[in-house]
Amino acid sequence: MTEPKPLSQAARIRAALLQQIDGGLLRPGGRLPSERALAELFATTRITLKEALGVLEAEGRVYREERRGWFVAFPRLEYAPLHGNHFQRMADAQQRAAETRLLGVETVLASPELCRALEVPPLSSLWKIRRQRSLDGRVALYVEHFLRPERFPDIQGQDLSRSLTELYRRRYGIEYAAAVFDILPAAAQGRVAQALMLAEGSPILLVRRVNRDAAGATLDCDYEYWRHDAVRLRVDSPAAAAAN
Amino acid sequence: MTEPKPLSQAARIRAALLQQIDGGLLRPGGRLPSERALAELFATTRITLKEALGVLEAEGRVYREERRGWFVAFPRLEYAPLHGNHFQRMADAQQRAAETRLLGVETVLASPELCRALEVPPLSSLWKIRRQRSLDGRVALYVEHFLRPERFPDIQGQDLSRSLTELYRRRYGIEYAAAVFDILPAAAQGRVAQALMLAEGSPILLVRRVNRDAAGATLDCDYEYWRHDAVRLRVDSPAAAAAN
DNA sequence: GCTTTTATTTGACCTAGTCCAAAGGGATGG
DNA sequence: CCATCCCTTTGGACTAGGTCAAATAAAAGC
């Protein structure tokens, strides 16, 4: 068996931190020592230290909040998009504390992409609802909902920090019946970065969903920007669901 | 309207490179000037230059091959996992050149995770097939297939660089009938990093699929490690498929 | 006890390099 | 024409700092 190649300094630091985490000494949500303190502890520079943290971050083991610190990651939320997107219920089922904070409501002009996604004519107006979702006290998800206003008159007067699914059903008699998802890695910009407490350009996981009613008409389009250590998507084909 | 905050140097470099790419001056697959050349061009350090490239990378606009250079990204492959995973067909449908290279075949002891996924007893033996997939001449995906050997006797004697879907059907009379997918961001390690031409710890998108036959029995488990600029997953609920 | 102010801590961003090992290209020899 | 060797180029990894602005904590005042 060939001798394993020597670990880089960053790799050794990563391994040492992982040992502390896996050994239960650093708990989910617990803050790591500062970059400067860790650099001193490992007798290295902050550049090398950040390299090690960056790998742990890519692995989903730690996360950062811009200018606040590095923290040990929580377990990923299991998100089965084909089985509904009721955030509170998903969290409850997985013993997680969920919170939703409404950031804003406004009408916007639909971008060409949104016009195509929602099948509305150019220059259409849409409701834009911005919400920040947390799990166990830390921000995990930022969502921008784009709603067709003719389907949801007077929505700005409702309590939009609660479930939109339930609001649609109770107030408008509208039920989600189908959805299409696009899933891809992306980078946090502007308000997204801000809402997720990330630096501009930080990697995230984007889930875009276009929802329809039973008649097949579009209802809304949601852009879900997930911290990528926060979620694990599970998708099953129909027959698989029957087999389980 | 508030004055936009001044861009960082890295952000300005990112914007300038993006302008060259969006203006058609740098083409998909085309190599960027070296880090040193770009650092000189923008009168900055390689550290700052790499910061800018890192953001473009997270956005899926450029990609790197370790010690070979930075390149302009190709369009993402649209991958609808619920509608089959025939790589060649997907690529053909999107005017992309696909290639598959067999890296190795061996029998391995199933890990606990694989025992659970494939519902086999502890200490089970599995076939492990490793393949590297390219689009338009560049590596986009590395896959590790784990097969139940009793379902696929003598598979090591087959041409494993071609479609496994077709091989299962023709040689073994077995058809995929259902699948469950787990999708999450991860970090490239060891052979994964090597096969994808990435440095250890680079971010990737992991798609794990457990496939079953018509009777619901497990067939194999695939780990798909995607360069995260290479793919866009599309998933639709059954009713949505009917509406389209 | 709450609000405001001040000080400290935090990660972000940057400079200016060095050295290393892998990859690629060119030259040489058979 | 192919293989081998050598040289150059490439990104990876690292050092040793610096400054900035946002966040937090502590102190002071009411």
Side-chain angles (χ1 to χ4, degrees), chain B residues 91-108:
Chain B
D92 288 346
Q94 297 174 50
Q95 287 79 53
R96 306 291 294 270
E99 284 164 64
T100 296
R101 179 164 159 240
L102 179 69
L103 299 184
V105 194
E106 57 189 331
T107 60
V108 296

Side-chain angles (χ1 to χ4, degrees), chain B residues 8-10 36 43-48 51 67-68:
Chain B
S8 65
Q9 180 120 335
R36 289 173 180 82
T44 189
T45 66
R46 277 183 60 215
I47 300 291
T48 300
E51 185 63 36
R67 300 186 216 273
R68 296 175 181 85

Side-chain angles (χ1 to χ4, degrees), chain A:
Chain A
M1 186 196 190
T2 62
E3 208 172 77
K5 75 182 184 182
L7 284 178
S8 64
Q9 181 122 330
R12 286 203 295 276
I13 296 168
R14 169 199 165 271
L17 290 172
L18 215 41
Q19 199 180 38
Q20 299 285 306
I21 294 170
D22 288 343
L25 294 167
L26 295 168
R27 302 210 162 268
R31 189 211 283 239
L32 298 179
S34 72
E35 288 181 4
R36 290 169 179 84
L38 286 170
E40 197 173 345
L41 182 76
F42 289 105
T44 189
T45 65
R46 281 182 56 216
I47 300 292
T48 301
L49 193 277
K50 284 167 79 79
E51 184 63 36
L53 289 173
V55 174
L56 282 170
E57 183 181 37
E59 289 169 346
R61 300 309 303 273
V62 302
Y63 67 93
R64 79 177 90 181
E65 286 186 358
E66 192 185 6
R67 300 183 215 276
R68 294 174 180 87
W70 289 87
F71 304 82
V72 178
F74 292 92
R76 293 174 181 272
L77 186 78
E78 301 267 341
Y79 172 24
L82 294 182
H83 299 284
N85 65 334
H86 200 302
F87 188 70
Q88 184 73 52
R89 281 197 201 132
M90 275 196 281
D92 288 345
Q94 297 173 50
Q95 287 78 53
R96 306 290 295 272
E99 283 165 66
T100 296
R101 181 166 156 238
L102 179 68
L103 298 184
V105 193
E106 58 189 331
T107 61
V108 295
L109 190 67
S111 66
E113 180 188 330
L114 276 167
C115 285
R116 282 192 289 275
L118 287 170
E119 293 159 8
V120 295
L123 298 174
S124 289
S125 203
L126 298 174
W127 279 116
K128 177 177 180 179
I129 300 171
R130 301 193 301 115
R131 304 200 295 182
Q132 183 190 60
R133 302 233 211 228
S134 299
L135 290 167
D136 299 317
R138 80 102 181 196
V139 177
L141 166 64
Y142 166 68
V143 194
E144 292 185 345
H145 308 270
F146 295 91
L147 282 60
R148 298 183 59 175
E150 69 273 19
R151 306 300 302 268
F152 306 99
D154 189 47
I155 197 154
Q156 78 284 11
Q158 314 300 315
D159 181 358
L160 300 173
S161 63
R162 306 175 76 95
S163 167
L164 292 186
T165 312
E166 290 176 6
L167 177 65
Y168 288 5
R169 190 188 303 121
R170 288 193 184 136
R171 180 72 163 73
Y172 300 99
I174 287 175
E175 197 112 5
Y176 285 136
V180 174
F181 305 84
D182 285 279
I183 302 160
L184 68 160
Q189 308 292 350
R191 279 171 150 174
V192 177
Q194 212 164 23
L196 292 173
M197 294 179 180
L198 286 167
E200 295 267 340
S202 299
I204 48 158
L205 187 70
L206 169 57
V207 179
R208 194 192 80 155
R209 50 190 299 154
V210 179
N211 302 300
R212 296 171 187 272
D213 61 19
T218 59
L219 290 172
D220 57 7
C221 180
D222 306 326
Y223 286 81
E224 299 175 357
Y225 302 95
W226 290 85
R227 271 179 168 271
H228 65 45
D229 61 275
V231 72
R232 178 188 190 102
L233 296 172
R234 171 158 282 209
V235 169
D236 42 23
S237 56
N244 286 353

